[in-house]
Amino acid sequence: MTPTGSAREARTRPVIDLHTHSAVSDGTETPTELVAAAARAGVDVLALTDHDTVAGWAEAAAAARTHGVTLVRGIEISCAWHHSSIHLLGYLTDADDAALARELARARDSRSTRLERMVALMAADGIPLGYDEVLAQVGPGATPGRPHIADALIANGTIRHRDEAFRSWLGDDSPYYVGHYAPDPVRAVELVRAAGGVPVIAHPFTRTRTGALDDALVERMREAGLVGLEAYHRDHGPAEVARAEALAGRLGLLLTGSSDYHGEGKRNRLAENTTKPEVLEAIEAASSGVTEVLRP
């Protein structure tokens, strides 16, 4: 866990977790269950940031009112740059923005077709898996992704946890990896800003990514409207945190901290990293206001 404040601050300041996923994308809990889990964990402010979709927003909003949790509605956009995957968090975007909606729909459609090709490659090598087993793991309206292949392998007893599947078969450098459409990260920043939202790079220097995120690209994204870096994340060690802090200081970017919680899909725990209240205030101020932070 990366601390973002002193123990005394933790007792007096709200607990803010700005990166979580529900079963609408690749989490294992419904938006209602996710919000309830956050309330039990002592989270005061929760951001729902499902991959390439806003389909869970309405359900999460209803649950947030029930449990007294402040909700920040967001998305996580999968971007591609030089054969490397970069994830962009977009907070408080307009759910009805046509240009952003088209881009997200294109990414979702591409994801669904690539899974079938990956499963075929795996099955040809004797890995016990059928595409119907994968589809059984994708909830109604959910965005299909590699974690659903992992869940199918768990369900049929081949592995015990998603991490095993990604280490052996599902990583970007795996012979079974099949690419999918993803927007250029600079274009994604422009789309989020045009939709009234606030773009923040998720786990920018994660040690699990194939390839490195170039500082020059971050600078280009900043020129396009990038607002922050998710510095405090389980995938960042001290060197990555220091790099993010230095780069944010040089470029005038905000620093956030989040859990990237997926329920039982990942080992990440709610609020294991958090964001300072003044950073959330700055994010809210940077938005157009078309989508507001929902407070109980």
Side-chain angles (χ1 to χ4, degrees):
M1 181 168 75
T2 303
T4 55
S6 68
R8 184 172 183 275
E9 286 177 325
R11 290 194 298 271
T12 59
R13 309 186 86 186
V15 175
I16 303 171
D17 189 338
L18 292 185
H19 184 175
T20 68
H21 297 273
S22 77
V24 169
S25 63
D26 58 347
T28 60
E29 299 168 341
T30 66
T32 298
E33 292 167 340
L34 168 62
V35 173
R40 290 194 301 271
V43 174
D44 300 296
V45 182
L46 181 78
L48 175 64
T49 52
D50 279 320
H51 290 283
D52 301 318
T53 183
V54 299
W57 282 12
E59 182 181 337
R65 286 190 290 270
T66 298
H67 292 281
V69 173
T70 294
L71 181 68
V72 179
R73 290 165 288 182
I75 50 175
E76 185 172 9
I77 303 172
S78 302
C79 306
W81 181 76
H82 289 188
H83 307 291
S84 184
S85 177
I86 296 169
H87 290 181
L88 184 73
L89 296 162
Y91 298 112
L92 304 174
T93 58
D94 181 357
D96 297 320
D97 183 83
L100 181 57
R102 282 195 301 270
E103 197 74 5
L104 297 181
R106 184 179 178 187
R108 290 196 304 272
D109 291 345
S110 178
R111 279 175 179 268
S112 62
T113 57
R114 68 86 87 112
L115 287 193
E116 188 168 9
R117 288 176 283 159
M118 289 184 68
V119 170
L121 290 172
M122 295 170 70
D125 268 2
I127 299 168
L129 185 65
Y131 188 54
D132 57 337
E133 295 177 80
V134 176
L135 291 179
Q137 301 300 319
V138 183
T143 302
R146 283 177 286 175
H148 295 114
I149 296 179
D151 290 345
L153 291 165
I154 294 169
N156 70 20
T158 302
I159 59 173
R160 293 178 296 176
H161 196 277
R162 283 181 177 180
D163 290 349
E164 298 175 51
F166 276 87
R167 279 196 303 269
S168 301
W169 302 309
L170 302 181
D172 292 358
D173 55 351
S174 165
Y176 309 115
Y177 178 81
V178 173
H180 65 93
Y181 172 75
D184 175 89
V186 175
R187 173 61 176 154
V189 168
E190 292 170 344
L191 286 167
V192 169
R193 292 302 280 166
V198 183
V200 172
I201 303 178
H203 39 74
F205 307 122
T206 174
R207 293 165 290 182
T208 60
R209 176 185 292 118
T210 300
L213 176 59
D214 193 327
D215 285 8
L217 175 62
V218 179
E219 292 178 16
R220 288 178 54 214
M221 294 171 73
R222 176 67 182 91
E223 291 170 1
L226 182 72
V227 171
L229 302 175
E230 186 183 55
Y232 311 108
H233 186 281
R234 152 183 301 247
D235 288 350
H236 283 181
E240 290 77 23
V241 170
R243 181 182 174 189
E245 291 175 338
L247 186 59
R250 180 163 64 85
L251 298 180
L253 298 171
L254 300 176
L255 291 168
T256 67
S258 312
S259 67
D260 198 0
Y261 176 75
H262 284 67
E264 295 305 313
K266 285 187 176 181
R267 303 182 195 278
N268 308 40
R269 298 296 90 191
L270 284 161
E272 66 180 25
N273 292 289
T274 58
T275 295
K276 293 181 178 179
E278 54 267 32
V279 173
L280 176 58
E281 291 172 5
I283 289 173
E284 195 170 0
S287 75
S288 70
V290 65
T291 298
E292 297 179 342
V293 173
L294 293 179
R295 292 180 169 83

